[in-house]
């Protein structure tokens, strides 16, 4: 039985029906759009899927494969009995109704697989590091090109081409290119706005390689910045570096967040940093753990997290600087390496 299935079953006192497809993939390597996995405390596992995936399901080791109808939950529900935990954070209400039409007593739970998935083994770290390297190179090529006079959408599209040319399988999320006032929106979509001189351009991008994601943000200058934007950049960079230098295993998500938040607040920009410091990255671009003022997580060796403070000034612009890091006993190893000192693009 795989290490991952073993680790999960060792934590169970009640069977768990895994319906998050990324979790099913993580536990079994089975990649499909329709599956559920019942994991027993004793170590047994049953994989449910439909006819379309029959052949690939049979090659999954250590699981008993059962075929269901394509609309599977009523069918699965009819085969379960006794107490069964389900992933309450991902199972839609209608599916829950279908599942409950059977004899099982359904018990809501969340975070069981996610907690295991958050800790990356060496092979996973290598894959994410590779994705981060490809992303770095694609962005480096972009910064050699002209920004001023091109639209945000053009730049996002060009970066996508460069990332593919450097070996990305696909983007891990829609690239953000936010210039001028748009930089004040943390999750801006690229628009037809033309990048002007004398401002900041925030680019947040990531790629997927071998199933694993990267995530990085850099903010570049188009020269001659207003003082306030220059100050925001310097404060954000110092805070980001402080967090990178001090985050380590054993720290809570709240403590990690404070490493960057405190100096930003002390410089008067506290109100302008309205999101958490970071999140886990792996098979999904946002996963456990969370680094924020509301986090309930504690950092562990092998977590891969982003460190991404930002300062957003309405009507003026914004800055965010994001690295991807592996948490170690006494610090972090950065997987992103593009320079963080403010660079000027043409
Ligand atoms: Zn990002
Ligand atoms: Zn991020």
């Amino acid at each position: 039985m795989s290490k991952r299935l073993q680790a999960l079953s060792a934590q169970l006192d009640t069977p768990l029906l895994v319906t998050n497809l990324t979790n099913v993939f993580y536990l079994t390597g089975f990649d499909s759009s329709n599956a559920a996995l019942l994991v027993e405390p004793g170590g047994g596992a049953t994989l449910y899927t439909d006819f379309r995936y029959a052949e690939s399901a049979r090659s999954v080791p250590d699981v008993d494969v059962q075929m269901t109808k394509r609309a599977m939950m009523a069918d699965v529900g009819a085969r379960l009995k006794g107490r069964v935990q389900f992933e309450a954070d991902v199972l839609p209400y209608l599916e829950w109704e279908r599942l409950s039409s059977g004899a099982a007593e359904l018990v809501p739970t969340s975070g069981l697989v996610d907690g295991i998935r958050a800790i990356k083994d060496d092979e996973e770290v290598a894959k994410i590091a590779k994705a981060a390297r490809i992303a770095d190179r694609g962005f480096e090529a972009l910064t050699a090109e002209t920004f001023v006079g091109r639209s945000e959408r053009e730049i996002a599209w060009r970066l996508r081409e460069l990332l593919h040319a450097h070996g990305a399988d696909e983007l891990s999320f829609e690239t953000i290119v936010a210039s001028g006032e748009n930089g004040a929106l943390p999750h801006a979509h690229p628009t037809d706005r033309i990048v002007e001189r004398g401002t900041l351009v925030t680019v947040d991008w990531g790629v997927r390689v071998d199933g694993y994601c990267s995530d990085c943000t850099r903010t570049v200058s188009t020269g001659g910045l207003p003082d306030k934007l220059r100050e925001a950049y310097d404060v954000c960079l110092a805070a980001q570096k402080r967090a990178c230098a001090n985050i380590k295993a054993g720290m809570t998500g709240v403590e990690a967040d404070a490493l960057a938040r405190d100096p930003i607040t002390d410089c008067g920009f506290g109100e302008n940093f309205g999101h958490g410091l970071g999140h886990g990255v792996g098979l999904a671009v946002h996963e456990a753990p969370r680094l924020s003022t509301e986090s309930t997580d504690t950092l562990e060796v092998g977590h891969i997290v982003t460190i991404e403070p930002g300062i957003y000034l309405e009507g003026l612009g914004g800055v965010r600087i994001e690295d991807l890091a592996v948490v170690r006993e006494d610090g972090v190893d950065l997987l992103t390496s593009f320079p963080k000192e403010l660079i000027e693009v043409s």
Side-chain angles (χ1 to χ4, degrees):
M1 170 167 247
S2 81
K3 266 191 188 154
R4 293 171 183 180
L5 273 174
Q6 260 173 16
L8 176 61
S9 68
Q11 287 187 17
L12 298 177
D13 49 13
T14 305
L16 171 68
L17 185 72
V18 179
T19 56
N20 175 332
L21 293 171
T22 308
N23 286 344
V24 172
F25 175 76
Y26 173 78
L27 292 167
T28 64
F30 181 62
D31 189 7
S32 91
S33 65
N34 197 29
L37 180 74
L38 183 71
V39 183
E40 315 269 357
T46 307
L47 178 63
Y48 302 98
T49 189
D50 71 69
F51 175 79
R52 295 168 297 162
Y53 298 101
E55 198 177 326
S56 56
R58 278 195 291 273
S59 64
V60 177
D62 309 321
V63 299
D64 170 31
V65 177
Q66 289 193 19
M67 288 301 127
T68 65
K69 290 182 189 141
R70 187 154 164 178
M72 69 162 45
M73 282 309 155
D75 218 359
V76 172
R79 300 178 202 193
L80 300 178
K81 45 186 182 302
R83 282 166 62 85
V84 176
Q85 302 188 89
F86 69 98
E87 296 181 302
D89 52 339
V90 292
L91 191 70
Y93 180 74
L94 275 177
E95 300 283 36
W96 174 85
E97 272 190 335
R98 289 171 189 144
L99 196 60
S100 5
S101 63
E105 182 197 336
L106 298 176
V107 183
T109 184
S110 65
L112 284 173
V113 183
D114 310 69
I116 298 169
R117 214 175 94 188
I119 298 171
K120 273 69 183 179
D121 62 28
D122 292 346
E123 200 179 315
E124 292 180 292
V125 173
K127 285 178 179 174
I128 296 169
K130 184 176 170 194
R133 261 195 316 275
I134 287 170
D136 277 349
R137 288 190 192 131
F139 184 71
E140 189 180 5
L142 181 73
T143 58
E145 299 188 1
T146 305
F147 278 54
V148 175
R150 283 165 116 180
S151 73
E152 294 168 353
R153 280 158 54 93
E154 269 180 86
I155 292 170
W157 184 254
R158 178 62 182 145
L159 178 58
R160 184 176 191 139
E161 289 178 329
L162 290 166
L163 293 168
H164 278 274
H166 282 80
D169 293 339
E170 57 182 330
L171 299 182
S172 52
F173 58 92
E174 193 204 350
T175 302
I176 294 171
V177 176
S179 69
E181 291 168 29
N182 289 350
L185 309 166
H187 274 184
H189 292 283
T191 68
D192 290 323
R193 184 189 181 101
I194 303 294
V195 174
E196 294 168 2
R197 278 195 199 290
T199 192
L200 290 174
V201 186
T202 300
V203 183
D204 188 346
W205 78 103
V207 304
R208 195 183 292 269
V209 177
D210 291 338
Y212 282 84
C213 300
S214 75
D215 188 6
C216 181
T217 306
R218 289 294 183 266
T219 301
V220 298
S221 159
T222 55
L225 291 183
D227 289 347
K228 198 73 182 167
L229 273 187
R230 176 74 227 201
E231 186 194 352
Y233 192 94
D234 293 341
V235 170
C236 185
L237 178 60
Q240 203 271 352
K241 284 182 168 173
R242 182 173 189 249
C244 291
N246 291 286
I247 289 176
K248 59 182 180 186
M251 196 170 261
T252 65
V254 173
E255 288 165 343
D257 178 273
L259 286 168
R261 192 169 304 281
D262 291 349
I264 289 175
T265 304
D266 291 346
C267 293
F269 290 112
E271 295 290 306
N272 308 99
F273 175 23
H275 58 72
L277 181 66
H279 53 86
V281 174
L283 288 169
V285 73
H286 291 113
E287 55 179 52
R290 302 282 162 177
L291 284 59
S292 77
T293 53
E294 286 147 45
S295 172
T296 53
D297 299 321
T298 297
L299 294 177
E300 293 183 51
V301 172
H303 278 164
I304 291 194
V305 298
T306 65
I307 301 170
E308 51 177 312
I311 296 175
Y312 308 95
L313 304 169
E314 204 181 325
L316 184 63
V319 48
R320 180 166 65 258
I321 302 166
E322 173 179 30
D323 278 320
L324 194 55
V326 192
V327 177
R328 303 294 190 199
E329 197 81 59
D330 51 1
V332 299
D333 293 337
L334 295 185
L335 301 179
T336 33
S337 63
F338 191 85
K340 290 186 280 196
E341 302 303 325
L342 187 58
I343 65 159
E344 192 173 319
V345 293
S346 56

